[in-house]
Every structure is written in C-alpha cells, then in structure tokens.
Amino acid sequence: MRPLILLTGKNGQVGGELLRLLPQVGEVVALGHDQLDLSNPTDVCRTIREVRPHLIVNAAAYTAVDQAETDENTPLVLEAEPPGLMA
C-alpha cells in the first residue's frame, strides 16, 4: 500500500520540487497557503483530521527575511507552531 502524504507549501521552490518527486513514493495531497492557513491552528488540525495522512512533509516557509526583522511574531507563528501541531 502506498502511503498518503500531506505536502504543505506546494507553491514554493522546495514544495514545487517535492510535488514533482513525492508521487513516486505515495499518493500526495498538496496544499498551498491559499488552501491551508498555517497561522490558524484550527485549520491545521482540521486538515490533518480530514486528510488522515501517513506522512506530513512541511515545505511551507516564511521567506520575507527583511520583514522578519521588524515583525518577529509572524515567523514564529508560521515556522514554529504549525510543525508542533503536525507532530
């Protein structure tokens, strides 16, 4: 049986490459930020419950590096908290 893989960040550089490669490993449900709001814990948990993946590959990333210097909370909300929920 092929595993069901949930891929986040499908529209980014890493996510796009993974979206090309992961189907060799299993069935992929790929979501971008327009489909999954990682800053919303309820949305993250609901998506995982609905998809019921065997594996989660989190390729989502906060890439506004210059903005992160003045907005320290947003990178934390997007980079630290969602992986904890996914785990």
Side-chain angles (χ1 to χ4, degrees), residues 21-43:
L21 296 170
L22 284 175
Q24 298 171 32
V25 177
E27 180 184 345
V28 179
V29 174
L31 303 175
H33 61 85
D34 55 333
Q35 298 154 313
L36 176 59
D37 180 2
L38 291 178
S39 68
N40 182 336
T42 302
D43 199 21

Side-chain angles (χ1 to χ4, degrees), residues 16-85:
E17 284 300 308
L18 288 167
L19 183 56
R20 188 176 63 80
L21 296 170
L22 284 175
Q24 298 171 32
V25 177
E27 180 184 345
V28 179
V29 174
L31 303 175
H33 61 85
D34 55 333
Q35 298 154 313
L36 176 59
D37 180 2
L38 291 178
S39 68
N40 182 336
T42 302
D43 199 21
V44 173
C45 292
R46 178 187 47 78
T47 299
I48 292 170
R49 279 193 305 272
E50 288 176 2
V51 174
R52 299 183 53 124
H54 296 106
L55 303 168
I56 299 174
V57 178
N58 181 25
Y62 182 79
T63 58
V65 177
D66 292 336
Q67 187 175 345
E69 292 179 7
T70 57
D71 180 13
E72 296 175 8
N73 190 49
T74 300
L76 178 65
V77 168
L78 294 176
E79 297 283 345
E81 294 173 6
L85 289 171

Side-chain angles (χ1 to χ4, degrees), residues 4-22:
L4 178 60
I5 303 166
L6 174 60
L7 171 65
T8 66
K10 75 172 187 174
N11 298 318
Q13 287 180 312
V14 173
E17 284 300 308
L18 288 167
L19 183 56
R20 188 176 63 80
L21 296 170
L22 284 175

